[in-house]
Amino acid sequence: MRIRFLGRCEILLATGERADTIIAQPKRLALLAYLAASMSHGPRTRDRLVALFWPELDDATARHALRQALYHLRQALGADVVLSQGDFVELAPNVDCDVQEFERVLAQGRAETALELYVGEFLDGFHASDVSAEFSQWLDDERQRLRNAAIEGALQSATAAEQHGDLPRVDRLLRRVAELAPFDERVLRRRLEVLERSSDRASAVLLFDQFADRLRRELDVDPSPETRALAARLRTANEPIEIRRHATVRHNELSEGRPIVAGKLPVPSKARRPYVAWLSAAGFAAAAIVLAVKGAARDPQPVLAVGGISDRTGMDSLRLGLTMRGLLASELLRIRDLAVLSEGRLLEFRLPTDALNEQHALTEAARRAGATDIIEGTLYRLRRDSLRLDLRRVSLANNLLRGSVTVIGRDPFAMAAEAVERLGERMAREVLPNAVAGVSTQSLSARRLYQEGLQAFYALDFTGALRLFESALSDDSTFAMAALHASRAALWRNDYSRRAELLRHAVRAVSHASDRERLIILADWAEARNDTTWRAVAETLAVRYPAEPDGAYALGRALLWRGDFVRARQLLLDAAARDSAALVLRSGSAWCRACDALYAAITADLLADSLGSAESIARKWLKIDSTSAGAFGALAEVLQRQGKIQEALSAAQLSWRHIPGGIDDAELRAKLAIRAGDYASADGILTRRAADLRPDVQAEALWWQMVSLRQQGRMQEALGIARRFRIATQQRQGANAALRSSSHQQRSLIDVGRVTEATALGDSMLSVQHTDSAHFAGEEWAGGVARYRSWTMLHLAESVAASGDTVRLRRLADSLEVTGRVSAFGRDQLAHYHVRGLLFLARGDTAAALRVLRAAIYSPTGGYTRTNYVLGRVLTARGQATAAITVLEPALRGDLQASNLYVTRTELHEALGEAYAKAGERIQARDAFRRVAAAWAGGDLPYRSRAARAARLARY
């Protein structure tokens, strides 16, 4: 029997007949497709199939529906095609499925054969309305996976063919890839390079023009600077010499100020006209000189900033100078291949001490930010309500005037556009149409309010900034960048619901922003929703706009979230390096992107268990800015992870010294005492704070009391505190919030053996929404929902595993795998491996358990460190004590209320003691067992018994 699902849907029986009755039934076809695509992964469980295809039915009804569907498949396809054994269902191995054949030949390196099989998308155009969202997600993922496999296989074969000089085969493969990925510039550049090597530059130029036209028409964006640079090189090499010389003459006449009729080239005399066919060596040399002059005449990649625009109109209340400055900064983005510093970028580098001298402050800020030239100007009011704008372009290297323009008009928007067109002409650069201008609004008052909001934002007045941005939105609801910055101000004020509302507003208005601003908005939107598109959007931003740090910063954060700590660290350090001058200027009085980037880079090192590197970054940061609260705070976190408790406390206190009003350090002292094993001191501090009448202080103290008591094995007391915490949370935030924050209580119930109660609590936590706010509801917040559900299912699986229910544990693993894919958080995507590890251990298959438990580790220090604990115990039991140590030690360097919350440090020390002993490291084993004995000496009876055992082991 042959099944074809790639591009077309066709089922041919062994008799040669077509099974069209199956194709006419969407759900049965979906079931068959799922079984066929999964053939190489083994049989599927009935529980899994029920959850995917009949999610709305109760278990008994859904299982009956599955039996009926399988019966009809056997009737149509043959009794020996669909096999079932107990709880497992699969297709017979002799079924010929094009998906399996495609993957097989691709694995053999036969990319062209695979491409012949890949005639279209998997189940192209298919949709079933009454299946689960998980199946729809699986179908989308499968389509994307197979398409990517076809593309990558073809690219690898193209590379091999290119190494053998087989350019026709390379071109043939790349053409097919271009059909599968029509907007992939990586593929386009390779095709252009192949055509260049084949000396067919004319075809390469034509191919680029067609691609750029399609990109602008369908996506409203331009090709990346890298692609445009390659096309420009090809175009220059392909132009007739005569055209190139005419272009140079035109440029020289423009630079000399002589008028030229638009659309016409000045034609030189016949005596001097070169003919390509008769060029001598001298002619070629002359052409080369002309091209050299042309290159020298044009600015080598200038970086422009807009400085002060003096307002001499007498209309101070309108602040036209400030408004014109923003309009010019936006309009300058229309000049092709020109780097322009944004308004926000300039404000990052502005010194507070220069506030009284606007022009000087902006000029110095532009110089520090790396600008080569600055645009300055003056606005005058003429009779008949007209305005005159005089602009000057000044070199920041030597303060020499490089050109000037004057524009007269009544509409500031039109004046800014005309001024930029004239500046573009003076610079001999193409000026794109108005449609691609930057921050867009047709309201002068909205523009003024937006720029005043930026000034407040960068001065850390987030409340004032939010008010100004929202006022700008009231004037012009389509002002996308005002909505974006308002959402950022709301985030700094911890108003998450308002942030979500404003971000949604920005996305609705995104068509009114430039390409760069659009990508920034979409990156923020994806991050806020924990959406899997976050990395792709951030990567596009970083590639297209490498001159500013927004892209590197956004991509670094996305990779950090995903779990690629090494690349994230490098990108974040690059973003900080571009703002290194800004770091010197920070005194806590202005927002600092470089500071945020450094803090995130330190976080990447902490998650990668590179504490030495993290400390190095923090100390270098302090050398640059010795008053940075952020640097001291980061150093304090690194030091406490290293066990340097007193140094960490000192660094934290220095951090707070630079925060207005300071901070009460009692909570930090308690946390450091817990990490040091000084539980008596921690409990004394926390008991006093738990009696505080302030609800927030009391709730925080109760939380840390649970942490401390669990480290000591006092699980019954921890359960009592957990109930108090839940009541306090319910009084402050409601019943659902209290239920969502019950993971501490759930873990404690498992620890005391009340597994049934823990499972019931986990089911209740899974049944509530991840937030009570209406702003986080709906399909668009699927990533946020997936993050909550993944984390909750992971804890639920712990209690299910403790109860020995392997059937439900398998179902949870499958559900967690599907849910985790929807989250952008790397830990969620790997969580199902932990559950499968518990399942394999329950079945006694430790080899399989080891394999999947290793795959479950997102971070050695900041993942779900119960994975480290379980994996370490298994490795020790199998005689791999040294490997166990490398897994267990990093878990102790995790965050006390994150990674170390669900496995206690005492449990980790106990497991390490056993691993050290088996590895022959007697001193380390003794110290670990002494810690266990001291911590659990006053615990519940089971823990006191383990403490006594640890004390004996410490002696021997």
Side-chain angles (χ1 to χ4, degrees):
M1 193 184 97
R2 296 198 304 275
I3 302 176
R4 298 290 174 261
F5 285 141
L6 295 176
R8 63 190 184 278
C9 193
E10 186 178 69
I11 304 172
L12 294 176
L13 303 177
T15 60
E17 299 175 6
R18 297 166 61 95
D20 291 337
T21 55
I22 298 298
I23 296 176
Q25 297 290 328
K27 184 167 287 192
R28 293 172 193 167
L29 179 61
L31 176 59
L32 178 63
Y34 181 74
L35 292 172
S38 306
M39 286 176 68
S40 61
H41 304 295
R44 304 286 93 179
T45 66
R46 290 178 183 267
D47 288 335
R48 176 72 171 144
L49 299 177
V50 162
L52 284 176
F53 296 103
W54 293 275
E56 76 286 356
L57 302 180
D58 61 75
D59 191 60
T61 309
R63 282 178 171 272
H64 175 73
L66 173 59
R67 286 194 297 272
Q68 289 293 312
L70 294 176
Y71 169 79
H72 285 291
L73 285 178
R74 291 189 181 102
Q75 287 291 105
L77 306 177
D80 58 343
V81 172
V82 182
L83 309 178
S84 58
Q85 183 176 1
D87 199 41
F88 296 96
V89 180
E90 62 181 330
L91 294 186
N94 60 349
V95 172
D96 176 13
C97 177
D98 60 349
V99 174
Q100 302 300 324
E101 187 180 358
F102 164 76
E103 295 190 288
R104 184 169 57 254
V105 299
L106 200 58
Q108 295 168 354
R110 296 155 55 198
E112 284 168 293
T113 305
L115 288 172
E116 290 174 6
L117 289 168
Y118 192 86
V119 295
E121 280 200 334
F122 177 60
L123 280 182
D124 194 12
F126 173 80
H127 175 71
S129 58
D130 54 349
V131 295
S132 69
E134 285 85 356
F135 175 78
S136 299
Q137 182 66 49
W138 173 84
L139 182 57
D140 288 342
D141 291 345
E142 197 69 5
R143 286 168 174 164
Q144 185 67 43
R145 183 182 69 81
L146 293 170
R147 187 191 308 113
N148 289 345
I151 292 170
E152 291 304 320
L155 289 176
Q156 290 174 12
S157 294
T159 300
E162 195 168 3
Q163 290 170 351
H164 290 89
D166 189 353
L167 294 184
R169 182 172 176 237
V170 174
D171 183 61
R172 186 167 62 251
L173 285 163
L174 292 179
R175 283 174 182 272
R176 182 69 177 103
V177 173
E179 293 173 8
L180 299 175
F183 300 111
D184 191 331
E185 295 191 40
R186 171 186 55 165
V187 178
L188 173 71
R189 287 194 293 270
R190 289 193 64 176
R191 292 186 68 190
L192 295 179
E193 289 164 354
V194 168
L195 288 169
E196 182 182 25
R197 289 180 60 187
S198 303
S199 301
D200 191 359
R201 294 188 180 89
S203 295
V205 171
L206 178 60
L207 179 63
F208 169 79
D209 289 341
Q210 292 171 341
F211 177 88
D213 180 65
R214 186 169 68 252
L215 204 62
R216 295 187 190 110
R217 186 175 62 253
E218 297 186 24
L219 301 183
D220 195 26
V221 295
D222 287 320
S224 68
E226 183 181 359
T227 306
R228 295 202 304 266
L230 174 58
R233 189 185 78 210
L234 293 168
R235 198 184 304 276
T236 301
N238 192 56
E239 281 179 352
I241 299 296
E242 181 178 2
I243 299 298
R244 274 182 268 160
R245 197 167 77 75
H246 288 175
T248 306
V249 172
R250 174 178 168 81
H251 172 73
N252 291 339
E253 294 194 5
L254 280 171
S255 61
E256 294 166 9
R258 285 187 280 169
I260 285 183
V261 179
K264 295 185 179 180
L265 290 173
V267 180
S269 64
K270 291 185 178 180
R272 298 175 57 194
R273 181 179 301 169
Y275 290 91
V276 178
W278 298 337
L279 273 176
S280 62
F284 278 115
I289 293 171
V290 169
L291 289 175
V293 171
K294 175 184 176 182
R298 178 169 170 161
D299 294 331
Q301 294 299 322
V303 180
L304 261 62
V306 181
I309 305 295
S310 301
D311 187 353
R312 305 285 178 83
T313 63
M315 299 181 288
D316 296 340
S317 61
L318 296 179
R319 301 197 68 182
L320 283 178
L322 176 67
T323 304
M324 184 59 74
R325 195 173 88 207
L327 290 175
L328 288 167
S330 298
E331 289 287 338
L332 282 169
L333 295 172
R334 295 167 52 203
I335 300 180
R336 189 185 287 279
D337 298 329
L338 180 70
V340 181
L341 293 180
S342 64
E343 182 87 354
R345 183 86 169 128
L346 211 57
L347 289 172
E348 285 182 53
F349 285 85
R350 179 170 174 167
L351 281 170
T353 53
D354 288 337
L356 296 178
N357 188 335
E358 181 82 1
Q359 184 60 61
H360 172 74
L362 291 171
T363 300
E364 290 305 308
R367 186 174 282 115
R368 296 181 195 106
T372 59
D373 300 330
I374 192 166
I375 304 295
E376 303 170 343
T378 307
L379 261 176
Y380 300 94
R381 186 178 183 182
L382 306 178
R383 288 177 294 178
R384 298 179 182 177
D385 296 326
S386 293
L387 299 171
R388 189 182 88 195
L389 173 64
D390 292 343
L391 290 181
R392 304 174 298 280
R393 177 184 169 204
V394 179
S395 168
L396 288 171
N398 49 28
N399 293 323
L400 292 179
L401 182 68
R402 304 195 65 179
S404 63
V405 297
T406 296
V407 177
I408 297 175
R410 296 184 178 181
D411 180 359
F413 292 92
M415 293 173 67
E418 184 180 351
V420 165
E421 287 169 4
R422 294 192 185 182
L423 284 169
E425 281 188 358
R426 298 292 188 272
M427 299 171 71
R429 290 179 183 271
E430 180 185 359
V431 182
L432 301 174
N434 279 319
V436 300
V439 180
S440 177
T441 178
Q442 295 303 309
S443 167
L444 277 177
S445 59
R447 162 63 73 175
R448 175 179 56 80
L449 289 163
Y450 169 74
Q451 289 182 254
E452 290 175 354
L454 284 179
Q455 292 177 335
F457 182 89
Y458 283 92
L460 302 183
D461 179 10
F462 300 119
T463 301
L466 180 59
R467 185 177 62 251
L468 288 161
F469 290 136
E470 289 183 325
S471 297
L473 279 175
S474 296
D475 272 13
D476 183 357
S477 62
T478 67
F479 199 171
M481 289 303 286
L484 174 70
H485 279 91
S487 75
R488 290 179 171 180
L491 177 62
W492 278 98
R493 295 178 70 245
N494 297 320
D495 189 345
Y496 301 109
S497 293
R498 184 65 182 137
R499 182 208 183 195
E501 181 183 356
L502 288 162
L503 261 179
R504 189 182 288 107
H505 189 139
V507 172
R508 285 198 301 265
V510 78
S511 60
H512 296 271
S514 70
D515 178 62
R516 175 176 167 273
E517 275 72 32
R518 179 183 65 85
L519 290 169
I520 291 172
I521 290 170
L522 293 179
D524 271 33
W525 179 236
E527 178 181 0
R529 296 177 300 123
N530 188 39
D531 193 85
T532 52
T533 61
W534 180 12
R535 174 180 171 180
V537 175
E539 202 161 33
T540 304
L541 178 63
V543 169
R544 287 188 182 167
Y545 302 98
E548 294 211 20
D550 298 277
Y553 179 62
L555 181 56
R557 284 175 52 79
L559 291 173
L560 174 64
W561 197 246
R562 178 68 179 82
D564 190 347
F565 306 124
V566 175
R567 283 187 63 205
R569 175 186 185 274
Q570 188 56 55
L571 281 163
L572 291 163
L573 289 178
D574 286 348
R578 297 177 195 180
D579 279 356
S580 57
L583 281 172
V584 180
L585 305 176
R586 295 309 113 201
S587 59
S589 60
W591 178 72
C592 169
R593 189 210 324 266
C595 307
D596 290 348
L598 285 176
Y599 200 98
I602 291 170
T603 302
D605 274 340
L606 291 177
L607 290 171
D609 196 28
S610 300
L611 299 188
S613 174
E615 182 179 357
S616 174
I617 295 173
R619 292 196 182 280
K620 287 177 182 176
W621 184 0
L622 283 169
K623 284 183 180 180
I624 298 171
D625 183 0
S626 60
T627 65
S628 170
F632 276 117
L635 180 60
E637 182 65 28
V638 175
L639 291 171
Q640 68 160 305
R641 302 277 187 104
Q642 294 172 332
K644 301 174 182 177
I645 305 302
Q646 279 306 124
E647 292 179 59
L649 181 61
S650 299
Q653 289 171 335
L654 287 169
S655 169
W656 298 335
R657 182 183 300 173
H658 302 289
I659 297 176
I663 294 179
D664 183 359
D665 68 353
E667 183 184 306
L668 175 65
R669 288 179 180 276
K671 290 164 59 176
L672 292 176
I674 292 171
R675 190 176 283 277
D678 184 3
Y679 301 112
S681 297
D683 291 345
I685 295 170
L686 294 170
T687 301
R688 290 191 295 273
R689 290 179 71 79
D692 197 296
L693 296 179
R694 291 171 292 179
D696 290 345
V697 174
Q698 185 185 80
E700 196 71 19
L702 291 172
W703 177 268
W704 284 106
Q705 274 188 308
M706 288 188 284
V707 174
S708 179
L709 290 169
R710 289 189 61 243
Q711 307 294 324
Q712 300 171 66
R714 295 159 64 182
M715 301 302 175
Q716 297 291 349
E717 291 178 71
L719 267 177
I721 298 294
R723 295 190 194 95
R724 285 182 59 192
F725 176 79
R726 186 168 171 179
I727 292 169
T729 305
Q730 183 167 338
Q731 290 172 344
R732 290 164 51 241
Q733 301 176 29
N736 283 348
L739 189 57
R740 285 192 295 269
S741 61
S742 298
S743 53
H744 232 327
Q745 182 180 357
Q746 185 190 16
R747 184 67 239 178
S748 297
L749 284 168
I750 298 172
D751 290 337
V752 299
R754 292 159 63 177
V755 179
T756 303
E757 293 175 61
T759 303
L761 180 57
D763 284 329
S764 299
M765 293 170 66
L766 196 59
S767 68
V768 299
Q769 294 184 353
H770 78 296
T771 174
D772 294 326
S773 173
H775 293 299
F776 299 97
E779 196 66 31
E780 64 187 7
W781 294 96
V785 174
R787 186 179 175 199
Y788 172 76
R789 290 185 62 81
S790 296
W791 194 229
T792 308
M793 279 194 281
L794 183 57
H795 298 312
L796 177 58
E798 290 284 344
S799 62
V800 170
S803 71
D805 187 351
T806 56
V807 173
R808 189 174 184 198
L809 195 61
R810 184 174 62 246
R811 290 177 63 181
L812 274 171
D814 289 343
S815 298
L816 190 50
E817 180 177 6
V818 172
T819 303
R821 287 185 196 143
V822 185
S823 170
F825 193 21
R827 186 182 64 193
D828 298 340
Q829 297 174 8
L830 302 176
H832 71 97
Y833 289 117
H834 177 87
V835 182
R836 297 190 194 282
L838 298 179
L839 179 61
F840 284 127
L841 287 176
R843 292 172 173 170
D845 189 349
T846 54
L850 281 177
R851 186 177 66 253
V852 294
L853 287 170
R854 288 186 187 279
I857 294 181
Y858 158 77
S859 155
T861 62
Y864 184 54
T865 47
R866 281 209 72 83
T867 304
N868 300 55
Y869 177 68
V870 176
L871 177 58
R873 298 298 294 261
V874 174
L875 286 168
T876 302
R878 288 173 62 89
Q880 301 177 48
T882 302
I885 292 168
T886 62
V887 169
L888 291 166
E889 282 184 338
L892 284 170
R893 296 189 280 272
D895 190 323
L896 282 177
Q897 64 171 335
S899 55
N900 284 172
L901 191 59
Y902 303 100
V903 58
T904 66
R905 294 171 60 77
T906 317
E907 289 175 295
L908 289 169
H909 281 303
E910 183 186 44
L912 268 169
E914 294 172 1
Y916 287 139
K918 288 197 173 183
E921 299 183 17
R922 299 175 60 188
I923 295 175
Q924 290 91 332
R926 181 196 64 194
D927 290 345
F929 285 130
R930 283 178 176 175
R931 286 175 177 269
V932 174
W936 282 344
D940 298 343
L941 182 58
Y943 292 94
R944 289 203 303 273
S945 299
R946 290 163 74 175
R949 174 179 176 272
R952 289 194 302 273
L953 290 170
R955 287 196 299 273
Y956 298 108

